[in-house]
mmCIF file of all heavy atoms in Angstrom:
data_model
loop_
_atom_site.group_PDB
_atom_site.id
_atom_site.type_symbol
_atom_site.label_atom_id
_atom_site.label_comp_id
_atom_site.label_asym_id
_atom_site.label_seq_id
_atom_site.Cartn_x
_atom_site.Cartn_y
_atom_site.Cartn_z
ATOM 1 N N TYR A 1095 87.167 38.644 76.641
ATOM 2 C CA TYR A 1095 88.631 38.809 76.892
ATOM 3 C C TYR A 1095 89.039 40.190 76.492
ATOM 4 O O TYR A 1095 89.837 40.918 77.155
ATOM 5 C CB TYR A 1095 89.438 37.759 76.158
ATOM 6 C CG TYR A 1095 90.981 37.942 76.327
ATOM 7 C CD1 TYR A 1095 91.616 37.501 77.381
ATOM 8 C CD2 TYR A 1095 91.683 38.626 75.343
ATOM 9 C CE1 TYR A 1095 92.988 37.638 77.599
ATOM 10 C CE2 TYR A 1095 93.045 38.788 75.469
ATOM 11 C CZ TYR A 1095 93.703 38.327 76.542
ATOM 12 O OH TYR A 1095 95.029 38.483 76.681
ATOM 13 N N ARG A 1096 88.583 40.650 75.305
ATOM 14 C CA ARG A 1096 88.970 41.977 74.765
ATOM 15 C C ARG A 1096 88.434 43.110 75.765
ATOM 16 O O ARG A 1096 89.132 44.050 76.022
ATOM 17 C CB ARG A 1096 88.480 42.200 73.353
ATOM 18 C CG ARG A 1096 89.165 41.335 72.341
ATOM 19 C CD ARG A 1096 89.059 41.897 70.950
ATOM 20 N NE ARG A 1096 87.626 41.986 70.479
ATOM 21 C CZ ARG A 1096 87.024 40.957 69.931
ATOM 22 N NH1 ARG A 1096 87.604 39.774 69.834
ATOM 23 N NH2 ARG A 1096 85.794 41.072 69.512
ATOM 24 N N ARG A 1097 87.174 42.906 76.129
ATOM 25 C CA ARG A 1097 86.593 43.922 77.046
ATOM 26 C C ARG A 1097 87.342 43.992 78.333
ATOM 27 O O ARG A 1097 87.608 45.044 78.890
ATOM 28 C CB ARG A 1097 85.099 43.600 77.260
ATOM 29 C CG ARG A 1097 84.285 43.953 76.036
ATOM 30 C CD ARG A 1097 82.795 43.511 76.208
ATOM 31 N NE ARG A 1097 82.043 43.813 75.042
ATOM 32 C CZ ARG A 1097 80.840 43.279 74.785
ATOM 33 N NH1 ARG A 1097 80.386 42.365 75.591
ATOM 34 N NH2 ARG A 1097 80.222 43.600 73.707
ATOM 35 N N GLN A 1098 87.692 42.824 78.892
ATOM 36 C CA GLN A 1098 88.401 42.788 80.245
ATOM 37 C C GLN A 1098 89.752 43.396 80.120
ATOM 38 O O GLN A 1098 90.295 43.909 81.104
ATOM 39 C CB GLN A 1098 88.421 41.362 80.742
ATOM 40 C CG GLN A 1098 87.104 40.829 81.113
ATOM 41 C CD GLN A 1098 87.163 39.285 81.342
ATOM 42 O OE1 GLN A 1098 88.191 38.612 81.128
ATOM 43 N NE2 GLN A 1098 85.996 38.729 81.714
ATOM 44 N N ASN A 1099 90.377 43.301 78.979
ATOM 45 C CA ASN A 1099 91.725 43.784 78.759
ATOM 46 C C ASN A 1099 91.828 45.054 77.927
ATOM 47 O O ASN A 1099 92.903 45.465 77.529
ATOM 48 C CB ASN A 1099 92.606 42.672 78.156
ATOM 49 C CG ASN A 1099 92.839 41.517 79.119
ATOM 50 O OD1 ASN A 1099 93.739 41.564 79.990
ATOM 51 N ND2 ASN A 1099 91.994 40.489 78.976
ATOM 52 N N ASN A 1100 90.651 45.705 77.710
ATOM 53 C CA ASN A 1100 90.567 46.987 76.985
ATOM 54 C C ASN A 1100 91.296 46.944 75.606
ATOM 55 O O ASN A 1100 91.945 47.836 75.183
ATOM 56 C CB ASN A 1100 91.326 48.087 77.848
ATOM 57 C CG ASN A 1100 90.589 48.361 79.138
ATOM 58 O OD1 ASN A 1100 89.361 48.375 79.164
ATOM 59 N ND2 ASN A 1100 91.374 48.493 80.217
ATOM 60 N N ILE A 1101 90.990 45.788 74.950
ATOM 61 C CA ILE A 1101 91.502 45.641 73.575
ATOM 62 C C ILE A 1101 90.413 46.072 72.597
ATOM 63 O O ILE A 1101 89.276 45.535 72.678
ATOM 64 C CB ILE A 1101 91.873 44.152 73.264
ATOM 65 C CG1 ILE A 1101 92.983 43.728 74.262
ATOM 66 C CG2 ILE A 1101 92.342 44.010 71.806
ATOM 67 C CD1 ILE A 1101 93.327 42.262 74.189
ATOM 68 N N PRO A 1102 90.641 46.979 71.654
ATOM 69 C CA PRO A 1102 89.629 47.481 70.772
ATOM 70 C C PRO A 1102 89.069 46.338 69.870
ATOM 71 O O PRO A 1102 89.794 45.413 69.477
ATOM 72 C CB PRO A 1102 90.344 48.540 69.830
ATOM 73 C CG PRO A 1102 91.565 48.869 70.642
ATOM 74 C CD PRO A 1102 91.941 47.706 71.464
ATOM 75 N N ASP A 1103 87.702 46.367 69.692
ATOM 76 C CA ASP A 1103 87.065 45.345 68.854
ATOM 77 C C ASP A 1103 87.557 45.353 67.436
ATOM 78 O O ASP A 1103 87.514 44.393 66.725
ATOM 79 C CB ASP A 1103 85.561 45.499 68.907
ATOM 80 C CG ASP A 1103 84.992 45.034 70.242
ATOM 81 O OD1 ASP A 1103 85.668 44.240 70.929
ATOM 82 O OD2 ASP A 1103 83.879 45.468 70.606
ATOM 83 N N ASP A 1104 87.934 46.561 66.953
ATOM 84 C CA ASP A 1104 88.258 46.654 65.506
ATOM 85 C C ASP A 1104 89.791 46.394 65.338
ATOM 86 O O ASP A 1104 90.269 46.610 64.182
ATOM 87 C CB ASP A 1104 87.964 48.030 64.998
ATOM 88 C CG ASP A 1104 88.610 49.207 65.795
ATOM 89 O OD1 ASP A 1104 89.276 48.892 66.783
ATOM 90 O OD2 ASP A 1104 88.396 50.370 65.349
ATOM 91 N N LEU A 1105 90.463 45.938 66.361
ATOM 92 C CA LEU A 1105 91.908 45.640 66.147
ATOM 93 C C LEU A 1105 92.043 44.421 65.233
ATOM 94 O O LEU A 1105 91.359 43.423 65.404
ATOM 95 C CB LEU A 1105 92.547 45.296 67.521
ATOM 96 C CG LEU A 1105 94.123 45.128 67.468
ATOM 97 C CD1 LEU A 1105 94.737 46.439 67.230
ATOM 98 C CD2 LEU A 1105 94.554 44.620 68.851
ATOM 99 N N GLY A 1106 92.908 44.544 64.250
ATOM 100 C CA GLY A 1106 92.983 43.419 63.271
ATOM 101 C C GLY A 1106 93.534 42.133 63.842
ATOM 102 O O GLY A 1106 94.243 42.161 64.866
ATOM 103 N N THR A 1107 93.209 41.045 63.218
ATOM 104 C CA THR A 1107 93.751 39.727 63.614
ATOM 105 C C THR A 1107 94.799 39.289 62.613
ATOM 106 O O THR A 1107 94.560 39.325 61.435
ATOM 107 C CB THR A 1107 92.537 38.721 63.621
ATOM 108 O OG1 THR A 1107 91.498 39.255 64.418
ATOM 109 C CG2 THR A 1107 93.047 37.379 64.252
ATOM 110 N N ALA A 1108 95.931 38.907 63.153
ATOM 111 C CA ALA A 1108 97.010 38.374 62.291
ATOM 112 C C ALA A 1108 97.041 36.868 62.351
ATOM 113 O O ALA A 1108 96.805 36.276 63.393
ATOM 114 C CB ALA A 1108 98.302 38.966 62.809
#
Side-chain angles (χ1 to χ4, degrees):
Y1095 176 84
R1096 290 201 299 277
R1097 287 174 180 162
Q1098 291 167 358
N1099 292 276
N1100 298 316
I1101 300 173
D1103 285 339
D1104 58 357
L1105 188 68
T1107 307

